[in-house]
Amino acid sequence: MAAFPPVSAHVGAESPLVRSYFWATTAAAWMLTFVRQRGQRNYSIVDRMWPLYPPTFLLLWQWQRGFAEISTVALAVHALVSVWSLRLCYNSIRRGDYRVGAEDYRWAVVRQSFDRTLGRGVLRALVWEVFNLGFIAVFQLALLYLIALPARLVIEDAHARWTPVAGLWAASAAVLLALEAVADQQQWAFQQAKRRGATRLPFVTGGLWRLSRHPNVFCEQAFWLVLCCFCAAAAGVDLGAWEHVGNLSGPVLLIILMWASVDLTESISLARYPTYRAYQVKTSRLVPWPPLTDAQVVATAALHTK
């Protein structure tokens, strides 16, 4: 097996092509927020880039390495990330996320929180633009780079091999993709039924959503963590070693970001639908788990009222 340098060395030694691609797309994502869509600025530019960014890094690294020496393990990683990308693209397109003027509803809530804290003066405008550049553009795109980075372990090692452990991780990643697709479809079917007036429920609670309030988020977080473990196992890299633990930085940061995102999403849902509180008490936040019985919900509520 090849001896792999630490992640910091990988990042520091990135080719001019990859560096240029990252900074050019980051600058473009930031500048496009100044282009008005339907009369207002739109901050979902990076959201539109999200499905396409990781697979392009894999292709750039593979192109630099050469396609003639690609291993079956690297092919499997390309396939998994490509399926992840296609699933997310499909779901985003059918929801209308790529329409002109379409923006994630949560950005409006974030802007309102800035208004409440800083008012609408020059300071607020300045702080918002720093946030826009630093977090919305640079941080999110850097995060997408980092979650893709473990793939270099197998792309740059033509002798990466299948082991029972690597096969188990790969199968787990495929299962997570399938479950995420199921969760997306269940949510989509519910929303369509709600628009037709075929259900009186305010939010989806069936299928995988009976076991988790955010099964798609759980599968997304777990997929990138499992993919990292798959790449490490196939390349013979010990993620517990200090020089390689940095490969986990992308998946860990994604978990932190999505935890905060779920907090925001749930605060909005709770404000819209008071009954969402009962769903919170009864159903696991992320990890799929059998819901509480009515008796357990009553007992939990009693504990919180004491």
Side-chain angles (χ1 to χ4, degrees):
M1 287 294 173
F4 291 96
V7 170
S8 58
H10 275 308
V11 175
E14 275 294 3
S15 68
L17 174 62
V18 174
R19 286 174 178 269
S20 298
Y21 172 71
F22 174 79
W23 288 113
T25 50
T26 299
W30 177 61
M31 290 187 290
L32 283 172
T33 63
F34 291 93
V35 178
R36 292 187 174 272
Q37 299 181 26
R38 300 193 175 184
Q40 63 182 13
R41 294 176 64 180
N42 189 299
Y43 297 95
S44 279
I45 304 301
V46 171
D47 298 337
R48 292 174 169 90
M49 297 169 62
W50 196 281
L52 306 173
Y53 216 56
T56 55
F57 279 116
L58 267 65
L59 289 174
L60 286 173
W61 291 325
Q62 192 65 62
W63 180 74
Q64 292 175 146
R65 172 69 181 177
F67 288 92
E69 299 182 4
I70 189 170
S71 66
T72 57
V73 175
L75 280 173
V77 173
H78 280 290
L80 286 168
V81 175
S82 295
V83 171
W84 170 87
S85 176
L86 290 171
R87 179 206 59 79
L88 188 53
C89 278
Y90 171 71
N91 203 44
S92 298
I93 290 170
R94 68 175 175 176
R95 289 186 316 196
D97 295 348
Y98 286 97
R99 293 197 310 263
V100 174
E103 183 186 62
D104 189 318
Y105 68 95
R106 290 170 295 188
W107 286 125
V109 177
V110 173
R111 290 195 296 273
Q112 290 168 7
S113 69
F114 272 72
D115 292 342
R116 287 193 300 270
T117 304
L118 300 171
R120 289 181 172 272
V122 175
L123 178 62
R124 186 270 185 199
L126 178 61
V127 173
W128 175 259
E129 288 309 329
V130 171
F131 175 78
N132 182 22
L133 174 61
F135 175 78
I136 298 179
V138 176
F139 174 80
Q140 289 196 98
L141 293 181
L143 171 60
L144 291 173
Y145 165 82
L146 287 173
I147 61 175
L149 191 59
R152 287 185 66 176
L153 294 173
V154 296
I155 289 175
E156 296 186 350
D157 181 8
H159 303 291
R161 61 189 179 88
W162 290 97
T163 65
V165 173
L168 182 60
W169 285 122
S172 299
V175 169
L176 287 166
L177 284 177
L179 289 174
E180 191 169 8
V182 170
D184 286 342
Q185 179 58 33
Q186 289 173 345
Q187 186 177 51
W188 171 257
F190 171 82
Q191 293 297 342
Q192 295 304 105
K194 187 177 177 181
R195 290 189 182 96
R196 295 192 307 269
T199 179
R200 294 183 178 181
L201 293 174
F203 45 85
V204 58
T205 58
L208 293 176
W209 301 80
R210 179 176 173 272
L211 305 176
S212 168
R213 303 199 299 271
H214 306 277
N216 52 347
V217 174
F218 170 77
C219 291
E220 178 76 3
Q221 295 173 334
F223 170 75
W224 289 106
L225 182 60
V226 166
L227 188 74
C228 176
C229 293
F230 167 38
C231 294
V237 167
D238 180 10
L239 291 176
W242 178 252
E243 63 269 24
H244 298 305
V245 73
N247 285 289
L248 293 167
S249 59
V252 170
L253 285 172
L254 181 67
I255 290 171
I256 294 172
L257 174 64
M258 287 193 161
W259 186 271
S261 177
V262 166
D263 277 344
L264 176 60
T265 301
E266 294 214 326
S267 68
I268 296 171
S269 296
L270 196 56
R272 289 179 178 175
Y273 314 113
T275 54
Y276 192 80
R277 178 56 185 156
Y279 181 51
Q280 286 180 312
V281 173
K282 191 169 187 175
T283 309
S284 170
R285 177 185 172 104
L286 289 176
V287 179
W289 198 258
L292 298 181
T293 64
D294 290 342
Q296 289 172 319
V297 170
V298 171
T300 302
L303 286 175
H304 285 285
T305 56
K306 288 182 178 180

